Amino acid sequence: MFHRAPRVAAGLALALILTGCSSSATPTPVPATPVPATVAPATTVPATPTVAPATPTAAPTATPCPAGAFTGSVVVIPKQINNPYFDLAFQGVTDAQCDLGGTVSQVGPSTGSDPAAQVPYIQTAITQKASAIVISADDANAIAPALKQAMAAGIKVVGYDSSPAVGAYNVFVNQVGVDLIGTSLADMACDEAPSCTGEIAVLSASQTATNQNAWIAAMKTTLKGSKYSKLVFDGVYYGNDDPQVSTTQAQAMLAAHPNLKVIISPTTVGIVAAAQVITSQNLIGKVFITGLGTPMSMAAFVHSGVAPEFALWAVHDLGYLAYVVAVDLVNGSLKGAVGDTFSVPSLPALNGGKPYTIIANNNVILGPPFVFNKDNVDQFKF
Ligand code: RAM
């Protein structure tokens, strides 16, 4: 059984901590969210659940909470089932399920590198007549025909984290606007490269990942600005969100580019692998890492100086919001058209307490990213 109060307070705590830690030295991409005076101080908030252990094949179906009115079934298909990031998001899903009702299961491939690996899980959801599918795309186009088939069968499709192709979902719940992530990645690399000068390269997830590819493209656009003119971009390597492949690729980057100053890894798996490689090769202080990571997995590297700063969003709340959108689409209170608005009272801080709005390409944005550094990283428990 999950409880509303701790979860809500945990979400607010993120905003509170961010507010307390923003300074001119911290490139917080957006102003901190104002928090109402009635919010409990962060110190009274129970710890957010830690990252769930890796799940070999599929997470067990969560026990439905009796109070919720929703009676539909939701199938969650992450990019890969054994990535702790998606376990965190699924905790948000199950918390929302306990608030709203319904049944939910998480199924998916054990690797994020096969573009079509999610298709059989979509087809099973169609056969089982699921009410909604919530999916993070390994490959936007490879899964589009199956998702369109699901929509034709009356199943609501909600993208989260990594978007399916436009037209193959009802609503895509985006964690943060793409341009904001791109600018953040460029700014953090600029901060970490001495005098914003030298070679930088990206260690990404899979070659087809919609989210990483969009963020890298936005980052490259930002890098054209004069502020970044002394940064030299060495290219993109792909670790497939696999710890071992990411490690091998980080080693290859360092071997191919002996003057590399910063590795930018916009994946929670790659950033840890690269930080470990930099550490084991005694390159602390010579090569830095930044990108997108969970604070608990990166804290040691922040304190050792390998990763002075990196960013992420409230992963739990991404799952929570995706489930809310799925339920609202199924029960008809949300049509999913551009301009539609809806409120999620349990997530007030992330959107400044305002209603969420469906924007272009049927996207809805969860909220701002958080930038972590040595001053704040230990305060986050995910
Ligand atoms: C990995 C996945 C996920 C991405 C995060 C930042 O866990 O690739 O899609 O959003 O990193």
Side-chain angles (χ1 to χ4, degrees), residues 2-42:
F2 297 86
H3 303 286
R4 178 184 293 269
R7 186 199 60 251
V8 172
L12 292 172
L14 287 168
L16 278 172
I17 291 166
L18 184 71
T19 306
C21 294
S22 37
S23 73
S24 55
T26 304
T28 306
V30 292
T33 311
V35 178
T38 53
V39 170

Side-chain angles (χ1 to χ4, degrees), residues 36-341:
T38 53
V39 170
T43 49
T44 66
V45 174
T48 311
T50 51
V51 175
T55 312
T57 48
T61 302
T63 308
C65 297
F70 181 63
T71 56
S73 58
V74 178
V75 177
V76 179
I77 308 176
K79 278 178 169 177
Q80 52 188 137
I81 204 77
N82 52 356
N83 179 339
Y85 170 90
F86 289 107
D87 291 335
L88 268 176
F90 191 62
Q91 287 172 9
V93 167
T94 54
D95 279 354
Q97 175 215 14
C98 286
D99 286 346
L100 303 177
T103 56
V104 64
S105 59
Q106 177 167 251
V107 294
S110 56
T111 169
S113 59
D114 177 354
Q118 292 175 308
V119 171
Y121 298 97
I122 299 168
Q123 285 166 339
T124 299
I126 296 171
T127 306
Q128 293 174 338
K129 300 190 186 326
S131 311
I133 294 170
V134 173
I135 186 164
S136 170
D138 280 323
D139 183 311
N141 297 319
I143 60 173
L147 290 179
K148 286 180 179 170
Q149 195 188 334
M151 292 166 76
I155 297 172
K156 301 300 180 188
V157 175
V158 177
Y160 78 119
D161 178 67
S162 181
S163 184
V166 174
Y169 59 82
N170 295 97
V171 172
F172 172 59
V173 181
N174 201 350
Q175 43 269 62
V176 181
V178 167
D179 291 343
L180 191 47
I181 298 274
T183 306
S184 302
L185 294 174
D187 279 342
M188 292 188 296
C190 178
D191 281 351
E192 292 191 356
S195 306
C196 194
T197 300
E199 294 179 36
I200 62 174
V202 167
L203 175 62
S204 190
S206 73
Q207 292 200 36
T208 57
T210 323
N211 51 349
Q212 272 90 14
N213 286 345
W215 298 331
I216 294 165
M219 183 194 75
K220 285 165 88 172
T221 301
T222 302
L223 288 174
K224 290 178 184 159
S226 57
K227 174 181 168 185
Y228 315 94
S229 62
K230 291 184 179 149
L231 293 176
V232 178
F233 188 58
D234 282 339
V236 182
Y237 288 67
Y238 298 95
N240 292 343
D241 271 346
D242 177 304
Q244 189 51 52
V245 178
S246 300
T247 298
T248 310
Q249 288 300 298
Q251 290 164 341
M253 296 167 86
L254 292 167
H257 307 287
N259 294 319
L260 196 58
K261 292 285 181 282
V262 181
I263 296 175
I264 305 158
S265 190
T267 133
T268 58
V269 178
I271 194 171
V272 172
Q276 284 167 342
V277 169
I278 293 168
T279 303
S280 65
Q281 295 196 3
N282 294 321
L283 292 171
I284 297 177
K286 298 193 179 94
V287 182
F288 300 93
I289 176 85
T290 191
L292 304 173
T294 58
M296 287 179 75
S297 71
M298 290 299 292
F301 301 115
V302 171
H303 293 302
S304 74
V306 176
E309 61 186 11
F310 64 97
L312 201 66
W313 42 88
V315 183
H316 166 282
D317 296 349
L318 178 67
Y320 192 97
L321 184 59
Y323 191 82
V324 169
V325 168
V327 170
D328 286 357
L329 286 168
V330 171
N331 70 23
S333 63
L334 180 66
K335 298 293 175 219
V338 174
D340 284 357
T341 61

